[in-house]
Amino acid sequence: METEFVHESVMQAILRDRRIGYAITDRDFNVLEVGDPGVGATDLVAGAAGCNLIAETPELVGCETALAEVLAGSLSHFQLPWVNRELADGRLAYLTMTVLPARGPAGDITGLLLVVQDVSEMGHLDQRITQQRNELRLLEEKLRRQNMQLEAQNAELRRLDEAKSAFLSIAAHELRTPLAAIRGYLELLLDQEAGPLTQPQADYLQIVDSSAQRLLRLSNQLLDSTRLEMGRLDLTLQRTDLAVILRDAIRELAPHFAAKAQHVRAQIAADLPACLCDAVRAAQVVSNLLDNASKYSSPASTLTATLRRANEDGFVQLAVHDEGSGIAAEAADSLFTPFYRGPAARQGAAPGAGLGLYIARSLVELHGGRLWFESVPGAGSTFYATFLVADPPSAA
Ligand code: ADP
């Protein structure tokens, strides 16, 4: 008796915990017993003892053949999963209904056992997962469309960029030919080969010549930057004496330094090894750094160019120091981007297009070296460039 009570209470606990209700019928589907797990479980199995199961359970209408097969023992069970039903408390529930044979003590089928489980938690979870999956799919689709749009826009940007580079390259080329002719005839005139010049005439022609030089410099820079962007700038590497290049650059820029009464010092280490460089391009870098040092420092200041072995093994280091305006820390990142000009340059004090450092750094990096600067605003700057030694000691 006591054991029976224990079994009974265990069963009640399971029915309550798993939210399971049940009904047992006779062979005519008359309900004999309804499981009572409590807490709304009476909602799960409609009706009570004495009523007809099919009349009380609309979901079973139409399943009579299957029910008859379960009764006959030819079908072990059948199930209606995810039945949607509004319970007496107004809650929308998901139920799983299973119909099994009910057996007597001798094992004969005496009727049906309907087991109804409230699987709402799982159902709602499943519904949420489905909803989230759908939202995810929508997002994926949106992302895919945006990616496609981005790709198209990128392709268009690339096309425009290439068109811009091609245009600049053609324009720069076309500028150079007439400029060369202008400079050639100017030289003839200035050399007085076409007759004597008065002093004002010579002065004016000098101005024309320096403007033509600036134009030529600009078209060369535009050409270089488009070549760099298109990856079409080739170097001719050979053993190069950077000391010679530095001295030549100082000599060529002497008129600039003289115009500002600037003093230039060259400090060249006695044991300076030869470097592996494109001599023309290395000269371009050296001139650019010297020219900037002169442009961005005051008259009568001193510029110092130093060539020595770099701390980094296998490199020679060029340092160009000036006593100029210096560079504000916030400009450090922009300095090497094309067309960037600092405040002093923009105020019109110095000619240029903001391409020099961009080209110089790209050239040094193409050589396998680095270009950077240190500066104390108001007190001057030092630009450093490293070049690979032609025969590093390890290879010697
Ligand atoms: P540009 O001289 O034509 O303006 P650069 O690319 O050579 O172009 O230089 C970019 C900017 O970097 C300059 O406009 C100037 O503001 C700054 N700059 C370059 N060199 C120096 C220097 N030695 N001292 C101070 N500012 C410099």
Side-chain angles (χ1 to χ4, degrees), residues 292 295-296 322 326-327 335 340-342 345 352-357 381 383:
N292 277 354
K295 275 198 302 191
Y296 301 111
D322 63 58
I327 296 154
L335 220 62
Y340 171 82
R341 304 212 73 206
L355 285 169
L357 283 179
S381 319
F383 279 79

Side-chain angles (χ1 to χ4, degrees), residues 95-356:
L95 307 178
T96 294
M97 296 186 167
T98 311
V99 179
L100 299 149
R103 293 182 190 275
D108 53 324
I109 298 176
T110 56
L112 293 179
L113 165 63
L114 168 69
V115 179
V116 180
Q117 185 171 14
D118 181 355
V119 289
S120 300
E121 265 178 36
M122 262 169 66
H124 289 310
L125 210 68
D126 191 63
Q127 203 180 30
R128 272 222 304 281
I129 290 174
T130 310
Q131 197 175 334
Q132 281 176 354
R133 203 178 291 137
N134 287 344
E135 279 169 14
L136 204 73
R137 270 203 207 113
L138 278 178
L139 273 178
E140 274 172 5
E141 179 59 21
K142 207 163 140 192
L143 209 70
R144 203 179 58 81
R145 262 198 241 123
Q146 279 176 348
N147 274 344
M148 272 168 62
Q149 266 173 3
L150 256 176
E151 268 169 34
Q153 282 167 348
N154 275 342
E156 178 63 6
L157 275 179
R158 265 199 306 278
R159 198 189 61 74
L160 286 175
D161 201 50
E162 277 164 20
K164 177 213 75 182
S165 295
F167 165 76
L168 279 181
S169 160
I170 292 167
H173 254 304
E174 292 303 310
L175 272 175
R176 286 203 319 174
T177 322
L179 271 175
I182 290 170
R183 291 209 63 214
Y185 283 106
L186 275 173
E187 208 179 309
L188 284 178
L189 288 173
L190 283 166
D191 288 349
Q192 315 221 9
E193 308 240 347
L197 294 175
T198 64
Q199 195 51 47
Q201 284 172 336
D203 292 346
Y204 295 157
L205 285 177
Q206 273 303 346
I207 296 171
V208 174
D209 190 44
S210 67
S211 295
Q213 269 185 49
R214 273 172 62 182
L215 255 181
L216 192 63
R217 199 172 130 90
L218 175 65
S219 47
N220 282 337
Q221 283 188 332
L222 286 174
L223 209 58
D224 281 350
S225 64
T226 54
R227 279 192 190 132
L228 282 166
E229 272 168 30
M230 297 194 282
R232 286 200 201 135
L233 197 144
D234 299 320
L235 300 178
T236 311
L237 297 176
Q238 57 197 19
R239 279 177 71 89
T240 307
D241 186 350
L242 283 183
V244 173
I245 286 185
L246 176 61
R247 287 195 196 98
D248 285 352
I250 292 175
R251 196 173 318 114
E252 266 171 38
L253 288 168
H256 288 263
F257 304 137
K260 288 183 87 174
Q262 287 164 329
H263 175 59
V264 184
R265 278 189 311 193
Q267 297 174 332
I268 300 170
D271 63 343
L272 194 77
C275 287
L276 193 64
C277 288
D278 180 315
V280 175
R281 294 303 185 176
Q284 189 177 340
V285 172
V286 175
S287 293
N288 182 261
L289 297 184
L290 283 171
D291 189 36
N292 277 354
S294 167
K295 275 198 302 191
Y296 301 111
S297 40
S298 46
S301 58
T302 299
L303 320 179
T304 311
T306 312
L307 268 175
R308 60 172 183 79
R309 278 182 185 278
N311 294 335
E312 211 175 332
D313 236 11
F315 284 90
V316 158
Q317 178 179 289
L318 165 74
V320 177
H321 174 73
D322 63 58
E323 299 168 345
S325 52
I327 296 154
E330 57 269 24
D333 287 338
S334 329
L335 220 62
F336 297 98
T337 52
F339 303 107
Y340 171 82
R341 304 212 73 206
R346 281 201 306 273
Q347 278 151 19
L355 285 169

